[in-house]
Amino acid sequence: MSRDFVHESRPGRVVFAVGARTRLPEEIDRLGLRRLIVVSAPTHKDLVAELSDALGGRIAELHPHATMHVPVAVAERAVARARQVGADGCLAIGGGSAIGLAKAVAKDTALPIVALPTTYAGSEMTPIWGLTSDGRKTTGRDPLVLPSLVVYDPELTVTLPPRSSVTSGMNALAHAAEALYAPDGSPITALMAAESARSLAGALPRVHADPRDIGGRSEALYGAWLAGSVLGATTMSLHHKLCHILGGTFDMPHAGTHTVVLPHVLAFNLPAASQARSALKTALGATDPASHLFHLAQDLGAEMSLKALGMPDDGLETVVEQVLAAPYANPRPFTEADIRHIVGNAFSGAAPA
């Protein structure tokens, strides 16, 4: 078999260990940073206080104002504060909202990012930024927003509730699944994506059964790291397009939306992506990956209906219009009728077909 591919490795340092947060001061010193602006959601107040105490005088500002989908106004305020306090780096503590806000700061200021993830979102491993304005989410790629340092500590995910853990993990699994049929994938990204899917699918039932299972948490975070890495290295397809539209337009929960949509897009795409289908069958130990992921998430308590997550009854027309206005690369061409079928099933909570 002949091979034809391009693979580009991303810069950045990853520290992964149980208790890795204790290494944060020395790792920040290694980067030479002295005046950090710390961005987080208000819900991480206690963790931010703990880490800030350890970092001492390296903190210039605490900015606990991260919100879902990174509204432009929120990003502008964070950028302004970073400049006002003379920050030389941005420390993001939390999930995709905090890391997304740090990226918005870095995009406009070129400050290096240090990320301490507390979920399985994977954004910390990508050069992808996203901003929401007037009900529309805009995304782009810029090497400035790729974190210089990511510290993964599985203990920081222990307080993530079981249902949130499941949807966060399914969000990560979506990155891996779409990387398997990405037009710019490589043998390396394919290996990483398959290993990510295997790790996450095996870890989520453990985490759901016992949120304090540190082995399960480590395996899930490992899978999320791999998923984020392939998200940053490849072009995502229809699934991510739909989720960006749904989240940005209707302010729907990011991870929950990914969880609902993924099985339906896979049911549509995998018949046209034989290598991806084969890889997912092996990774998941399932003959029908789309159905398997739907029932896995459902059995673990995830909500599987877009309607229940907040999509309005008349929202389908808006979704169809936006998808068709700016098509993504996808292994299978899609029509308006296809989008209506995929989103309609996801809206009602029906099993993928």
Side-chain angles (χ1 to χ4, degrees):
M1 180 181 70
S2 62
R3 296 187 185 275
D4 184 348
F5 66 90
V6 174
H7 179 75
E8 182 177 342
S9 296
R10 302 291 178 184
R13 178 177 172 87
V14 171
V15 178
F16 191 115
V18 174
R21 65 188 181 280
T22 62
R23 306 184 197 176
L24 195 56
E26 64 188 80
E27 289 291 337
I28 286 174
D29 288 346
R30 186 177 182 274
L31 291 173
L33 302 179
R34 293 292 180 268
R35 290 187 59 78
L36 294 167
I37 181 170
V38 182
V39 298
S40 68
T43 52
H44 282 107
K45 178 181 177 181
D46 291 343
L47 176 59
V48 169
E50 173 196 333
L51 296 172
S52 298
D53 286 345
L55 291 171
R58 302 172 185 85
I59 304 296
E61 168 95 345
L62 299 180
H63 193 81
H65 305 298
T67 57
M68 193 167 58
H69 304 304
V70 195
V72 167
V74 173
E76 289 174 345
R77 286 195 293 271
V79 169
R81 287 305 299 161
R83 288 175 170 152
Q84 288 165 5
V85 301
D88 62 2
C90 186
L91 171 60
I93 301 172
S97 298
I99 293 166
L101 182 56
K103 288 181 173 185
V105 172
K107 187 170 80 73
D108 283 2
T109 64
L111 294 179
I113 297 173
V114 175
L116 199 74
T118 60
T119 71
Y120 309 127
S123 174
E124 66 278 355
M125 292 306 299
T126 81
I128 302 169
W129 56 266
L131 293 167
T132 302
S133 178
D134 298 325
R136 296 263 177 145
K137 187 168 186 176
T138 303
T139 63
R141 288 177 180 256
D142 189 329
L144 283 176
V145 310
L146 181 68
S148 301
L149 169 67
V150 182
V151 177
Y152 286 109
D153 186 343
E155 289 182 339
L156 296 184
T157 66
V158 166
T159 57
L160 192 63
R163 180 178 288 189
S164 298
S165 298
V166 170
T167 56
S168 185
M170 290 292 292
N171 177 20
L173 215 155
H175 309 331
E178 289 228 296
L180 285 168
Y181 50 62
D184 50 0
S186 74
I188 299 301
T189 58
L191 288 169
M192 294 172 72
E195 172 69 355
S196 171
R198 182 201 65 77
S199 299
L200 286 161
L204 293 182
R206 294 176 59 185
V207 168
H208 182 265
D210 179 6
R212 305 198 70 82
D213 177 356
I214 201 64
R217 290 289 186 181
S218 294
E219 192 71 3
L221 198 58
Y222 165 70
W225 164 57
L226 293 172
S229 298
V230 297
L231 171 65
T234 61
T235 299
M236 295 289 104
S237 299
L238 178 60
H239 168 81
H240 280 75
K241 178 68 172 180
L242 285 170
C243 291
H244 287 162
I245 291 169
L246 289 162
T249 304
F250 306 122
D251 197 31
M252 294 171 63
H254 182 82
T257 302
H258 276 271
T259 301
V260 174
V261 172
L262 179 62
H264 300 282
V265 174
L266 291 182
F268 178 78
N269 274 340
L270 290 183
S274 59
Q275 289 185 334
R277 184 175 70 246
S278 178
L280 283 175
K281 283 182 176 181
T282 301
L284 302 177
T287 57
D288 182 352
S291 180
H292 178 81
L293 290 176
F294 177 87
H295 290 292
L296 174 66
Q298 187 178 60
D299 291 347
L300 296 179
E303 175 55 65
M304 298 307 291
S305 159
L306 292 178
K307 179 180 176 66
L309 293 181
M311 180 179 172
D313 292 338
D314 60 354
L316 180 57
E317 298 304 321
T318 300
V319 174
V320 170
E321 175 189 346
Q322 291 190 41
V323 171
L324 297 180
Y328 265 29
N330 200 61
R332 179 179 174 185
F334 53 83
T335 65
E336 178 180 335
D338 294 325
I339 300 303
R340 290 183 181 278
H341 175 75
I342 291 168
V343 179
N345 276 352
F347 180 81
S348 67

